[in-house]
Amino acid sequence: MADTLRRLVSTSSFSALQDKLDSWLKDYHLLSCDQNLNRCCELVELTARVQGQLFAVLSQTASEGGHYAGVETLKSRLLPWLGSCFALGSAGVSADTSLSLIQESVEKEKRIRDLSQSHEHEIHKMESQLSSTRLELDSVRQDLEDAQLELDDTKNKSATTLLATEDEILQLKAELRAACDRADLYKRKLDVLDDYERQIRLLKDEVSFLTAEKSLLRDRLTRSRSPSPLPRRSRSPSPLLRSDSPTRAQLTSSSRHARLLSRFGDLYSTERLEAQNLLRRYIDELEMVQRIIFIGTVESFHAAKMAYRQFKLRVRKTLSPTHAGPESLEDAVVDYIVRNLDLYDVQASVNDVISAMNVHPKISFPPEVDFILLGSFLREVCRVAFAMQTLEPPLDLAFSTDGELYSESKYRRSFDSEYSAPLVAYHVWPALVEGDAVIMKGEAVTRRGALWSPRRSRSRSSSPVRPRSRAGSPSRPLASSHSRSPSPGRL
């Protein structure tokens, strides 16, 4: 009996019943009808199990007192109560099983309470998040209402602005056109003023130079010890002073002339040899390489002259409406071109030269490469040729053709020429002329039977390899194998 009573005390069954009653009372209004009934049935089952354990203790206690011990107590207290409200539970469940069931039920109730508390905590957390979200939503809704009010206000202001009459709009457009016309007029006047200022600066420089030259001449006259009177100078003014307003192109014509001649000589002595060495990597025949460079030079001059004519027409068309300077329109056009040589589209001329070389019947090229290899050389030749057109008179290349009569005034023979041959087999470098006068000689190869040499077809096949017994190294300058000047010289 003592063991059964001890187990009953250790399970704390009555404490569990009291906790369940307290929990049920707390959640009674939150639970549904079925949930409340389930709670009640659980309490009844637990109560029945506890009472079963108490009856077991009662039976053991009564058996310890003998057959007649405790009879009066059972008759007076237990039997009336049993008759009224108690029904004994299933006798098949043992005391240990009943106690373990009660303990499990207590643990389940405890877990249920923990889960309920965590659930309530999550619910409170979600409710707080929901309330904060509602506040943010209210703030956004208020912002939207403010934006709608601002939009309505803007619409009203725009509608008010659009109420301007059509006459006012037309008047404003007319005033705008007049203002644009005045601005264009002022801009043209400003451009003319800038040109005047540049011309004034040039004139000041020229005057200072002439003043210095005048003072130098005076010093020389003063230091002269000749007793004879100085010859009387002519009173006719110099051609430069006769010009009322010399342009920059006129003032720098001589210096540009000398510089371009020097640059043309550099093209022959430096850039030509570099291009020749580059082509010799792909073409073994020196004659074909020299023909390609010569034809590229001639085509570059043709393309540059065409580009100069077109550029000059555009400049004349642009300056003619606003030209009012002291110099002629032609001088102003040339002066503008000289000051803006960088506006020349040299790449377009190079493309035209390459296109012309691709269809030329006298030269061929390997199919794996293209004339774009000569791009840098052709670009420099086009720049020099374009600048030569701004001179007065312009510089140009002398007319040349294969088989022409060799002229000592136009060409020098190359080192591998036949000096007794009277005809030109092919040209290495063109001659430069100014009007009808040759100012820089070219270079040509003379051979016998030049007129009967077979014409070459413009195929893209590679040139055949020929023996180089008579051809010199392409990288060696021409002066090393010829006794004359290394570059085209002046006559």
Side-chain angles (χ1 to χ4, degrees), residues 317-340:
K317 184 178 180 180
T318 303
L319 295 181
S320 58
T322 59
H323 178 69
E327 74 278 7
S328 63
L329 177 60
E330 191 68 19
D331 293 338
V333 170
V334 176
D335 183 58
Y336 179 85
I337 295 175
V338 171
R339 288 186 286 107
N340 297 276

Side-chain angles (χ1 to χ4, degrees), residues 174-188:
E175 292 178 357
L176 179 61
R177 286 195 295 270
C180 292
D181 294 339
R182 289 195 299 272
D184 293 338
L185 179 60
Y186 292 153
K187 186 176 181 180
R188 289 194 295 269

Side-chain angles (χ1 to χ4, degrees), residues 82-294:
L82 288 174
S84 61
C85 62
F86 181 76
L88 186 62
S90 175
V93 179
S94 63
D96 295 335
T97 303
S98 179
L99 290 175
S100 63
L101 290 174
I102 292 172
Q103 188 173 3
E104 290 178 0
S105 177
V106 170
E107 293 176 355
K108 287 181 179 180
E109 288 294 330
K110 186 175 181 181
R111 287 197 297 271
I112 289 172
R113 284 197 303 273
D114 295 338
L115 291 175
S116 177
Q117 291 177 359
S118 63
H119 179 66
E120 290 178 357
H121 180 69
E122 292 293 333
I123 289 175
H124 290 309
K125 184 177 180 181
M126 292 177 67
E127 287 178 352
S128 62
Q129 292 179 355
L130 181 61
S131 61
S132 62
T133 305
R134 285 176 180 174
L135 292 176
E136 292 179 359
L137 182 61
D138 294 337
S139 176
V140 172
R141 188 181 290 110
Q142 185 65 32
D143 293 339
L144 288 176
E145 291 177 356
D146 296 339
Q148 184 65 33
L149 292 176
E150 292 180 0
L151 181 61
D152 295 338
D153 189 15
T154 304
K155 287 182 179 180
N156 294 333
K157 291 180 180 179
S158 300
T160 303
T161 305
L162 292 176
L163 292 178
T165 61
E166 186 176 359
D167 296 336
E168 293 177 352
I169 295 175
L170 294 176
Q171 182 180 1
L172 291 175
K173 288 183 178 180
E175 292 178 357
L176 179 61
R177 286 195 295 270
C180 292
D181 294 339
R182 289 195 299 272
D184 293 338
L185 179 60
Y186 292 153
K187 186 176 181 180
R188 289 194 295 269
K189 290 182 178 179
L190 183 60
D191 294 338
V192 173
L193 182 60
D194 292 339
D195 293 337
Y196 287 162
E197 290 179 353
R198 284 193 292 270
Q199 293 175 8
I200 289 171
R201 287 196 296 270
L202 292 174
L203 290 174
K204 287 182 178 179
D205 295 339
E206 188 69 16
V207 168
S208 62
F209 174 75
L210 293 176
T211 304
E213 186 177 2
K214 181 180 178 181
S215 61
L216 181 60
L217 291 175
R218 285 182 177 177
D219 292 340
R220 289 180 179 177
L221 291 175
T222 304
R223 289 194 301 267
S224 177
R225 296 182 179 180
S226 176
S228 62
L230 294 176
R232 190 171 186 179
R233 292 189 176 183
S234 174
R235 294 179 178 269
S236 61
S238 62
L240 184 61
L241 296 179
R242 280 199 297 267
S243 175
D244 294 334
S245 177
T247 61
R248 182 174 184 268
Q250 294 173 347
L251 294 175
T252 61
S253 179
S254 59
S255 62
R256 289 189 299 112
H257 185 279
R259 187 174 66 251
L260 290 174
L261 290 180
S262 175
R263 185 71 184 104
F264 190 76
D266 293 339
L267 287 175
Y268 169 78
S269 60
T270 304
E271 278 86 344
R272 180 186 67 87
L273 294 179
E274 292 177 356
Q276 181 173 304
N277 293 335
L278 180 62
L279 290 179
R280 288 301 297 273
R281 301 177 186 175
Y282 307 98
I283 302 177
D284 293 329
E285 190 176 358
L286 179 61
E287 176 182 345
M288 182 55 62
V289 170
Q290 292 176 342
R291 283 180 179 270
I292 290 173
I293 295 175
F294 174 79

Side-chain angles (χ1 to χ4, degrees), residues 33-46:
C33 180
D34 293 336
Q35 292 175 344
N36 287 327
L37 290 177
N38 288 329
R39 289 285 185 92
C40 184
C41 291
E42 289 178 1
L43 290 173
V44 171
E45 290 176 358
L46 289 175

